[in-house]
Structure formats: C-alpha cells, structure tokens
C-alpha cells in the first residue's frame, strides 16, 4: 500500500511507553513497524496498543508458537508480542501493526505479526487479532507492555499512513 | 520524484450490500498485489478468491488458526476457489499479498492474514495452479453478502 512515514521514534534511554500524537486524519490506514526489546525477564513480552491512550474497550485473540508448542488465547486489550530481556544479547524483536479505517466511526480492527528473535530453542512468533470497541477516530497511539516493563534503549517505532485510491484503469464491480 | 513502492489501484466502500466484489482490468506493470478488506458480512463464511473467473479445481491452501473453539492447522488441495480467509458477522480485517501476479512462468502464491474482531486470528498460504497473469480478482463470501460500509482496496507493488 502507498505508505507515508508520519513519525519515527528511537529511544535514547529506556522508556515505559512511546506515543504517536496528533496523528493526521488524512490517511486510510495506519501501519506501525517496530524493532523493540523490553526489560521483562522473559523471552517475550506483550506489545499493548492503546488508541487515544485507552487500554479499555479492547479485546484480542492470539496464536502463539514457542519453538516447542503452540497456544491460543485472549487478552482484554489490543496487543501483539515481541522480545523480552531473556533473548540473546543485542537482539531485538520485530512487530508490525496494521489498523485500517482508523478515522471511521466503526469499531477499529488491529492486526499484528510479531516475533521475539532468540539464538535458542525458546522464542516466539505470534499473530493477533484485536478490536478496539470505540467509535472515535484514532488521533494518538500509545505503545507499552501492560505489565510494568520498559522498552530498552535503541528500541525504534515507525508510524506510516496508508493511502488507498484508483489508478484510473483497474475496475471495481 | 521517486517511484512509489506501493501504488493505489482501486478502492471501494460499499453503499449497499453486495454478494461479491471484483477487481478487473488489473494492469500488469507491478511486481505484487496487496488487498485489504475491512468490514462485515451478513453470515459467517469462507471468503473465496477467484482469479480470472477460474472455478476449476486449481486452488490449494494451508492455514493455521487460533479462535475461541481451539487452535490448529489444516490444508486442502484441488479446491474450486481460493478459500483463503474466514469472514464473520463481526468486524473483519483481511490482508492478502499476491506475489508475482503477472508472471507467466509460474503458479501464483498468496499469503493472507484473516482476523475477526478479537475472536479469531488466521494465516493462510495458498496457490493458484495457473501460469496466466492475474487480471481479475473476485472476492466472494460464499453464500453471504458484504454489508454496506465494507471497504476493499487494491495496491500494486513496484520492484525497486
């Protein structure tokens, strides 16, 4: 999709969360790509997504593979997964977050794909489907972990705006 | 000005219910295609992807899923449509990537994410067993209808 960089944040010191504020209302979707690592003493951590700073009115379903097993379950907020502090040193996880129609008056779907890289047999790969049951347009996104952890130095988060449209040739019927 | 990596080709927001949506006259000048669907249907179904009106036994899939009823994986071959997403009466997001769609020397592969309102999450890999370039894509929720307000968009991706 046509992607326009709105803002990129790279942490010069640890932080409990990052926030994209004053998000322009001129795109058709939002896309976040992050390279991040939390200080939680685990090989994975949550990526809690808070539209307009809200952790309420959210539900999410995950499918999660650890290298030895798979599991599915739910959370009471929009979320994904990435690397915690027990993965290999200097190694960051990755996550992509897609929010279509973020300005609409419908509830907002949030899809994520995330991994916690690790040079060991325990790591994580997860897909999630979340819903923010709020009719407000999304004007800000706060991203934390929801468990009191912090994002480590050099974690980076980039927000893109997605634009749909027509080329004048392709038809829709 | 640099050539954009992703080019919007077509988009629609339905003003009334529709039994299917078709992108036609898809130009061949890109590397891959991407479709994003955000909306609801009136009855939970598999979503069929039909390329170039082909309803022969030329589609296959493998999928993994997590949902309230459980989690697992399944695969099917020789299907008459690309059953590459699961759409529900709650809000759905489907993201489909079709690689090398205009190539005439290979079968076509797709990767699809299919998510439903915090209830189920799925990932599919599919194949259309044809060396024809993809020029049309019909998105048919089997025996259901897309509800008004559903948005469906198509992009072409340039190779840089």
């Amino acid at each position: 999709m046509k992607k326009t960089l709105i803002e990129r944040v790279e942490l010069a010191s640890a932080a409990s969360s990052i926030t994209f504020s004053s998000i322009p209302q001129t795109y058709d979707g939002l896309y976040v790509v992050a390279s991040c690592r939390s200080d939680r003493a685990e090989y994975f951590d949550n990526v809690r997504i808070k539209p307009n700073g809200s952790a309420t009115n959210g539900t999410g379903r995950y499918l999660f593979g650890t290298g030895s097993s798979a599991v599915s379950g739910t959370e009471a907020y929009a979320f994904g997964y990435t690397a915690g502090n027990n993965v290999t040193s200097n190694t960051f996880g990755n996550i992509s977050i897609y929010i279509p129609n973020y300005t609409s008056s419908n509830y907002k779907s949030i899809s994520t794909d995330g991994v916690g890289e690790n040079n060991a047999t325990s790591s994580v790969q997860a897909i999630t489907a979340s819903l923010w049951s709020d009719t407000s347009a999304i004007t800000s996104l706060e991203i934390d972990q929801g468990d009191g952890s912090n994002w480590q130095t050099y974690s980076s988060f980039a927000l893109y705006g997605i634009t749909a449209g027509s080329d004048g040739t392709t038809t829709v019927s | 000005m640099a050539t954009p990596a992703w080019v919007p080709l077509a988009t629609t927001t339905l003003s009334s219910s529709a039994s299917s949506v078709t992108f036609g006259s898809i130009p061949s000048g890109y590397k891959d295609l991407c479709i994003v669907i955000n909306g609801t249907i009136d009855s939970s179904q598999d979503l069929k992807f039909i390329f170039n009106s082909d309803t022969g036994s030329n589609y296959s899939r493998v999928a993994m899923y997590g949902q309230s009823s459980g989690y697992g994986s399944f695969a099917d071959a020789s299907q008459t449509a690309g059953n590459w997403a699961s759409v529900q009466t709650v809000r759905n997001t489907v993201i489909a990537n079709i690689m090398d769609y205009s190539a005439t020397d290979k079968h076509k592969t797709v990767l699809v994410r299919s998510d439903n309102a915090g209830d189920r999450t799925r990932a599919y890999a599919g194949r259309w067993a044809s060396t024809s370039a993809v020029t049309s894509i019909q998105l048919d929720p089997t025996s259901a209808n897309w509800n008004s307000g559903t948005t469906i968009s198509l992009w072409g991706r340039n190779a840089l």
Side-chain angles (χ1 to χ4, degrees), chain A residues 28 98-102 104 106-111 130-131, chain B residues 12-14 35-41 90-95 115 117 146-153:
Chain A
D28 299 292
Y98 187 71
I99 308 174
N101 298 330
Y102 68 104
S104 82
N106 294 315
Y107 291 169
K108 313 304 183 292
S109 301
I110 302 172
S111 297
S130 299
L131 183 73
Chain B
T12 184
T13 299
L14 298 176
I35 296 171
V36 174
I37 304 169
N38 184 238
T40 61
I41 60 171
V90 293
R91 185 147 293 274
N92 303 279
T93 295
V94 175
I95 304 169
D115 290 342
W146 295 111
N147 288 327
S148 174
T150 294
T151 300
I152 304 177
S153 303

Side-chain angles (χ1 to χ4, degrees), chain A residues 15-97:
Chain A
S16 59
S17 69
I18 68 101
T19 299
F20 295 112
S21 303
S22 302
I23 296 173
Q25 301 294 290
T26 53
Y27 300 103
D28 299 292
L30 295 177
Y31 184 63
V32 177
V33 179
S35 171
C36 49
R37 178 180 177 128
S38 83
D39 61 7
R40 181 186 180 208
E42 243 308 350
Y43 61 88
F44 70 94
D45 203 353
N46 293 347
V47 178
R48 186 171 64 170
I49 303 158
K50 299 166 64 177
N52 298 352
S54 172
T56 58
N57 298 323
T59 57
R61 161 69 60 177
Y62 63 86
L63 177 64
F64 186 101
T66 67
S68 59
S69 64
V71 65
S72 182
T74 60
E75 293 285 359
Y77 45 79
F79 72 108
Y81 289 100
T82 191
N85 201 39
N86 284 4
V87 301
T88 306
S89 300
N90 302 313
T91 300
F92 286 63
N94 298 292
I95 185 169
S96 64
I97 302 166

Side-chain angles (χ1 to χ4, degrees), chain B residues 6-53:
Chain B
W6 290 89
V7 177
L9 298 182
T11 187
T12 184
T13 299
L14 298 176
S15 57
S16 59
S17 66
S19 58
S20 71
V21 170
T22 300
F23 293 114
S25 300
I26 299 173
S28 62
Y30 304 97
K31 182 66 173 172
D32 309 308
L33 297 175
C34 180
I35 296 171
V36 174
I37 304 169
N38 184 238
T40 61
I41 60 171
D42 58 8
S43 174
S44 300
Q45 301 286 342
D46 274 351
L47 174 60
K48 295 180 181 177
F49 290 68
I50 300 172
F51 289 170
N52 297 4
S53 302

Side-chain angles (χ1 to χ4, degrees), chain A residues 80-164:
Chain A
Y81 289 100
T82 191
N85 201 39
N86 284 4
V87 301
T88 306
S89 300
N90 302 313
T91 300
F92 286 63
N94 298 292
I95 185 169
S96 64
I97 302 166
Y98 187 71
I99 308 174
N101 298 330
Y102 68 104
T103 66
S104 82
S105 58
N106 294 315
Y107 291 169
K108 313 304 183 292
S109 301
I110 302 172
S111 297
T112 82
D113 292 75
V115 296
E117 303 289 351
N118 192 19
N119 188 24
T121 55
S122 293
S123 60
V124 63
Q125 183 176 21
I127 57 175
T128 69
S130 299
L131 183 73
W132 186 51
S133 299
D134 194 304
T135 58
S136 304
I138 295 175
T139 57
S140 70
L141 279 176
E142 180 181 352
I143 302 174
D144 67 6
Q145 311 79 26
D147 56 16
S149 306
N150 297 291
W151 297 122
Q152 295 197 31
T153 306
Y154 308 126
S155 293
S156 66
F157 302 80
L159 173 67
Y160 296 86
I162 305 301
T163 302

